[in-house]
Every structure is written in structure tokens, then in C-alpha cells.
């Protein structure tokens, strides 16, 4: 009898558990080392640029733009290269930009960054040795000059497919809830645990472009705003 | 794979918490060598803490992160606060690591200075040391204006918050770490900040808009006993960490 009750209990617990289980998430996307079947242009389409200025006034703004099989591409020394174009806020030199390819589980968009003037002509480019790990981005950090209008991020055909190995340490924070019988509420508390391990990613033609815009004075595009 | 995704999500939450914790997010100043043609850099002396440090995080279930954010500190300083919390347990281990490194005549300051000088010279800067007393530990020095400074002269402070060996969690190993705040100002007008950034070697959290360098996986110790058994390797690991950090500093001045 005792045994049966126990097994019933086990059954009901497993029932509860299975009720909560969800389908596993899809596997993370893989690096794309070649662009095929696309017709590329020689110049970026200035009319399709994404605004860096947020809709709401802000001092700090982040943009993550997906680059995929549908993204437009440029001819770069005879090789195709996907691109995203951004329009700088007003008073460009009042901003610190951190811009590049975002770290994903198995890939990093391999970035090339150039600053364009109002005619779409490049006025500044960044050599490979200027790129660093900045936050969760492999990119460059700079303040544009006032004659700059656009920032062009394009994928680098030279680096696409190249492996990036890194050993990473992580401090992981989890929020838990405990029921408090005295006020019939629940209390949140946070616990931490550490983790470390080797990671292997590849530079990719597809992925995420990450942009962080910080206003030096005032707000983004509004240097005199309090 | 699912675990990795979840790890990302949790990390994102952590960094947003850290961001929410501080009132003004950190504002880096990127250096632009074309716009500001600096040729001569005076490097501030004595930038690292006098002794090798240790930090232990999430090894005893303490609530490090909330302690750090309530202290108003960004991700970079979580370690420093965490180190304070676990100070009691840790003090003995720190002393053992320091003793092990002392058997190798380890001099972190000398290693860092030499590597920084070499990297800056490699980028065609004229480099000289400058002695400015650091009145407060873990704070950038106050650089006096030098009217006589030639155009193109700058002063670089590479303030080391902490460096040494860290242990994150119970199932991980002791590995080297360095946390640095770098700032370069105009020598004639020190109010003109030419560069400001933070560099972490072996970060536990990749803080937004600051530089991180992944750890060299070769240098790891399961226990302090293992580190004591091979002090040469321990010294080499920390040397590699300091050299990589010095190089990253110079890379910000390209």
C-alpha cells in the first residue's frame, strides 16, 4: 500500500514536470562563410539607411540588426559582402559609437566599418588592428566627425569562415522566488554561480550587427537637451 | 546548445541589472590619432596595486551581484566588492599565492610597464615615465597642467584596480585576471581627455562598451596546492595576462 502511494506520488510529480516542459529551442545558427546566388551593387543604397536616433529622447541607445540571406550586398574587390547602412544622428561628433558584429553562440558577424559623407563617399575606414572585443561586440569604438552622415557595416570576405577560439569565464545570476507565509507574498532573491569553458565561433557573412550610441552631451541628436 | 542559449539570456539579464544599478552608464572616450596627433606619451608610474590580489566569486552562495550594484559599481568592480565579501576565507589563500609568486621574484609592475613601453614604441610614440603621486588607491591620479609641455604631449594613467588569480564558482579553476582603467589626457590641458576606457582580462561579465580579453586557457590550477607546486607556471600565467592587457592598452592608441 505504502509502495503504491509512493508510485502514485511519483506519477503525479512526473505529470507535473511534463506539463511544464517545453519544446527545446532550435539549435543556434551556424556561420555563413560564403554568399551565393545574390546580385550585389557597387554602392550602398543611401535611401534604405537605418536611423541611429531613437524615437524617444535618450542618452544611450542600442540597435541590433539581423543580417541574413535577404540582406543587400556590395561588390568588394570582386567578392560579395552583405551590408547594413546607418544614418548618424544630428551633431555627429557629440556621440560615441561602439559598432561591430555581435557574439552569438557559434558565430560572429565579421565586420568592416566605414564612415561615409552625405554623398556616400567613404571618409574614414578602420584597419583590422583597430577591432577589439568591446562588450559583447567585436568592433570599433569612435566619435564620428561632423561631416560624417552614414556608417556602413559590411561583412568581411577575408575573415568569413575563420575560427575564433576563446576560453570564457562567466558569473551567472539567477533570480529565485520564495513564498513568504507572513505577508502571503513571494520574495525574490538572487544567487550566483560561476562557469567556464572553451568556445569556438566562426566569423560569418550572416549574423547580427550591434550598434551602441552614447550622447556625450545632452541626448542623442540633441546636444543641448538637458 | 540549449544551455548556451539560456546562458546568453541570463547574461543579458545580468548586464541589464548592472546597467540599471548605476545612474549614469559608463562613457568611454575613444582616441582618434588622426584628429589628435599625439607623439609623446608620459606614462604614470606605479599603476598596479603593490601586491598580487585574488578574487573569489560565487563560491559560497553569497549575493555578490546585488552587493556590487547597491554599492553603485559597474560590472568591472563586481570583483573588487566580491573580494571584500569573501575576504575572510580568501586572505589565507591570497597569502599563499603571493608567497608562491615571490619565489619567482614576480614583479607585476615591471612586467606591465615594460610591455606597455614596448607596445607604444612599436606604434611610433616617444615614451617616458612620469612620477605623479597617487593620493587615493584605486583612483586615477590628478594630473597637473604643464604649461611647458610641447604640442602633441599626453599623459597616460593605466590604473590597475586589481590583478592576480581568481576563482569563479565551485567547479572552476584558479585563473589569472587583470582589471584596468586607462585614461590619457593632454599634458598642457589635462581637462582634455583623449582616451578613457576599461580593460578586463578574463572578465566574468563582458561589460558594455569596455574592452575584454579572453584568458589564456593554459594557465589554470584546480587548487592552491597545485599553484604552489608549480609557481613558475603561476608566474608565467600572470605575466601573460599583464602583457596582453598592456598590449590592449596600446591598441586603443592606434
Amino acid at each position: 500500500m505504502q509502495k503504491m502511494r509512493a508510485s502514485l506520488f511519483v506519477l503525479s510529480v512526473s505529470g507535473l514536470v511534463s506539463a511544464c516542459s517545453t519544446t527545446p529551442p532550435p539549435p543556434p545558427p551556424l556561420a555563413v562563410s560564403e554568399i551565393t546566388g545574390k546580385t550585389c551593387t557597387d554602392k550602398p543604397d543611401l535611401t534604405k539607411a537605418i536611423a541611429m536616433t531613437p524615437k524617444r529622447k535618450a542618452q544611450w541607445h542600442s540597435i541590433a540588426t539581423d543580417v541574413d540571406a535577404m540582406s543587400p550586398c556590395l561588390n568588394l574587390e570582386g567578392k560579395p559582402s552583405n551590408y547594413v547602412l546607418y544614418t548618424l544622428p544630428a551633431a555627429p561628433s557629440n556621440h560615441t559609437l561602439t559598432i561591430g558584429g555581435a557574439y552569438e553562440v557559434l558565430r560572429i558577424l565579421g565586420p568592416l566599418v566605414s564612415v561615409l559623407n552625405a554623398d556616400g563617399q567613404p571618409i574614414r575606414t578602420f584597419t583590422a588592428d583597430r577591432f577589439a572585443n568591446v562588450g559583447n561586440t567585436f568592433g570599433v569604438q569612435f566619435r564620428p566627425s561632423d561631416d560624417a552622415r552614414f556608417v556602413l557595416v559590411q561583412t568581411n570576405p577575408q575573415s568569413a569562415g575563420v575560427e575564433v577560439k576563446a576560453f570564457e569565464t562567466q558569473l551567472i545570476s539567477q533570480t529565485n522566488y520564495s513564498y513568504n507565509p507572513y505577508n502571503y507574498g513571494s520574495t525574490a532573491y538572487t544567487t550566483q554561480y560561476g562557469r567556464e569553458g572553451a568556445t569556438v565561433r566562426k566569423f560569418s557573412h550572416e549574423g547580427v550587427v550591434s550598434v551602441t550610441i552614447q550622447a556625450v552631451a545632452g541626448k542623442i541628436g540633441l546636444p543641448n537637451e538637458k | 546548445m540549449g544551455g548556451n542559449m539560456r546562458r546568453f539570456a541570463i547574461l543579458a539579464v545580468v548586464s541589464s541589472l548592472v546597467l540599471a544599478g548605476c545612474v549614469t552608464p559608463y562613457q568611454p572616450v575613444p582616441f582618434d590619432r588622426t584628429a589628435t596627433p599625439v607623439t609623446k606619451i608620459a606614462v604614470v608610474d606605479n599603476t598596479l596595486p603593490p601586491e598580487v590580489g585574488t578574487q573569489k566569486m560565487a563560491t559560497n552562495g553569497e549575493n555578490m551581484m546585488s552587493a556590487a550594484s547597491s554599492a553603485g559599481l559597474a560590472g568591472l568592480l563586481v570583483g573588487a566588492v566580491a573580494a571584500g565579501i569573501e575576504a575572510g576565507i580568501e586572505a589565507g589563500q591570497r597569502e599563499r599565492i603571493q608567497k608562491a609568486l615571490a619565489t619567482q621574484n614576480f614583479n607585476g609592475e615591471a612586467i606591465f610597464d615594460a610591455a606597455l613601453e614596448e607596445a607604444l614604441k612599436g606604434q611610433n610614440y616617444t615614451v617616458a615615465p612620469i612620477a605623479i603621486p597617487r593620493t587615493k588607491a584605486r583612483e586615477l591620479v590628478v594630473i597637473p597642467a604643464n604649461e611647458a609641455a610641447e604640442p602633441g604631449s599626453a599623459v597616460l594613467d593605466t590604473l590597475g584596480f586589481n590583478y592576480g588569480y581568481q576563482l569563479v564558482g565551485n567547479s572552476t579553476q584558479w585563473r589569472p585576471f587583470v582589471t584596468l582603467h586607462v585614461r590619457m589626457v593632454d599634458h598642457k590641458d589635462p581637462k582634455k581627455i583623449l582616451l578613457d576606457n576599461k580593460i578586463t582580462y578574463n572578465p566574468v561579465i563582458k561589460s558594455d562598451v569596455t574592452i575584454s580579453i579572453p584568458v589564456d586557457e593554459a594557465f589554470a590550477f584546480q587548487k592552491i596546492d597545485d599553484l604552489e607546486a608549480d609557481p613558475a607556471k603561476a608566474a608565467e600565467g600572470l605575466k601573460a595576462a599583464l602583457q596582453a592587457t598592456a598590449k590592449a592598452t596600446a591598441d586603443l592608441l592606434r
Side-chain angles (χ1 to χ4, degrees):
Chain A
M1 193 63 193
Q2 196 75 33
K3 243 184 193 165
M4 203 159 98
R5 219 185 297 164
S7 64
L8 263 177
F9 179 72
V10 167
L11 264 180
S12 62
V13 166
S14 67
L16 277 175
V17 168
S18 66
C20 298
S21 70
T22 49
T23 47
L30 294 169
V32 175
S33 46
E34 244 175 293
I35 299 173
T36 47
K38 271 192 188 181
T39 311
C40 305
T41 53
D42 289 331
K43 291 211 154 123
D45 184 350
L46 301 183
T47 63
K48 299 256 169 71
I50 298 167
M52 282 191 186
T53 314
K55 287 201 175 77
R56 280 184 174 189
K57 291 175 188 174
Q59 192 273 331
W60 172 300
H61 184 50
S62 296
I63 305 170
T65 312
D66 285 320
V67 173
D68 55 26
M70 305 305 288
S71 299
C73 61
L74 290 171
N75 294 313
L76 184 73
E77 288 156 10
K79 286 186 175 158
S81 154
N82 288 329
Y83 79 93
V84 184
L85 189 69
Y86 298 93
T87 315
L88 284 161
S93 64
N94 184 48
H95 303 87
T96 305
L97 303 180
T98 305
I99 187 160
Y103 274 79
E104 292 177 69
V105 177
L106 298 174
R107 66 183 185 181
I108 310 161
L109 182 123
L112 290 171
V113 178
S114 45
V115 182
L116 314 181
N117 65 11
D119 303 326
Q121 294 302 316
I123 52 173
R124 190 175 176 186
T125 52
F126 298 91
T127 49
D129 54 18
R130 286 291 311 273
F131 285 77
N133 297 316
V134 198
N136 214 31
T137 303
F138 179 74
V140 288
Q141 199 167 58
F142 65 98
R143 287 188 181 165
S145 58
D146 277 328
D147 57 342
R149 285 293 170 278
F150 304 98
V151 177
L152 173 69
V153 181
Q154 60 184 116
T155 56
N156 187 352
Q158 305 295 327
S159 72
V162 173
E163 268 189 4
V164 182
K165 289 184 180 174
F167 194 88
E168 290 179 1
T169 311
Q170 288 165 330
L171 190 61
I172 294 154
S173 197
Q174 264 182 335
T175 304
N176 311 281
Y177 297 93
S178 66
Y179 176 68
N180 184 340
Y182 298 103
N183 62 7
Y184 305 103
S186 66
T187 310
Y189 64 97
T190 312
T191 49
Q192 274 82 35
Y193 64 100
R195 189 135 93 178
E196 58 182 30
T199 61
V200 182
R201 298 181 177 94
K202 275 182 184 171
F203 280 124
S204 170
H205 276 299
E206 292 179 13
V208 178
V209 177
S210 154
V211 185
T212 303
I213 309 127
Q214 290 172 274
V216 177
K219 309 275 187 204
I220 294 166
L222 304 160
N224 300 315
E225 192 86 8
K226 284 285 161 220
Chain B
M1 299 227 180
N4 266 335
M5 284 294 238
R6 198 164 60 233
R7 190 153 65 179
F8 254 96
I10 293 166
L11 258 183
V13 169
V14 170
S15 45
S16 69
L17 277 178
V18 169
L19 262 187
C22 47
V23 186
T24 352
Y26 171 65
Q27 173 86 251
V29 180
F31 180 60
D32 186 344
R33 201 173 178 177
T34 322
T36 324
V38 168
T39 51
K40 206 173 155 184
I41 300 176
V43 181
V44 177
D45 267 350
N46 295 325
T47 54
L48 295 181
E51 288 188 316
V52 171
T54 46
Q55 53 188 23
K56 284 174 74 178
M57 286 164 281
T59 50
N60 67 351
E62 282 277 5
N63 195 343
M64 309 292 181
M65 196 64 68
S66 72
S69 66
S70 66
L73 303 169
L76 186 72
L77 282 178
V78 168
V81 173
I85 292 168
E86 273 209 339
I89 312 165
E90 200 185 337
Q93 293 170 325
R94 182 181 307 144
E95 212 168 280
R96 286 171 69 186
I97 290 179
Q98 285 171 351
K99 275 186 183 156
L101 290 170
T103 64
Q104 304 299 306
N105 295 319
F106 187 81
N107 183 342
E109 184 76 42
I111 291 165
F112 182 83
D113 290 352
L116 181 63
E117 191 180 327
E118 193 193 326
L120 289 175
K121 281 183 174 162
Q123 291 174 37
N124 298 320
Y125 286 110
T126 310
V127 186
I130 183 170
I132 299 175
R134 196 175 301 277
T135 44
K136 284 180 184 163
R138 287 189 176 149
E139 270 189 36
L140 292 161
V141 294
V142 180
I143 293 158
N146 179 1
E147 283 302 324
E150 297 165 35
S153 321
V155 183
L156 174 66
D157 189 6
T158 52
L159 167 66
F161 283 116
N162 201 357
Y163 77 104
Y165 273 85
Q166 73 182 12
L167 182 69
V168 285
N170 291 320
S171 54
T172 61
Q173 303 194 56
W174 288 94
R175 294 178 190 277
F177 78 97
V178 183
T179 50
L180 204 69
H181 186 171
V182 296
R183 176 178 283 181
M184 189 168 80
V185 298
D186 187 271
H187 205 169
K188 199 167 185 174
D189 178 11
K191 282 195 198 81
K192 251 197 231 163
I193 297 170
L194 306 177
L195 167 80
D196 196 295
N197 215 317
K198 293 173 182 179
I199 303 171
T200 314
Y201 181 90
N202 192 11
V204 290
I205 292 164
K206 292 180 182 173
S207 303
D208 283 325
V209 305
T210 68
I211 308 291
S212 65
I213 312 165
V215 68
D216 184 339
E217 140 181 40
F219 304 103
F221 303 92
Q222 202 76 46
K223 288 197 169 73
I224 302 278
D225 300 333
D226 303 331
L227 191 149
E228 284 174 325
D230 194 350
K233 185 180 166 190
E236 207 189 322
L238 199 46
K239 184 180 173 187
L242 288 166
Q243 285 174 335
T245 314
K247 188 188 171 292
T249 305
D251 281 346
L252 290 172
L253 295 168
R254 280 184 187 277

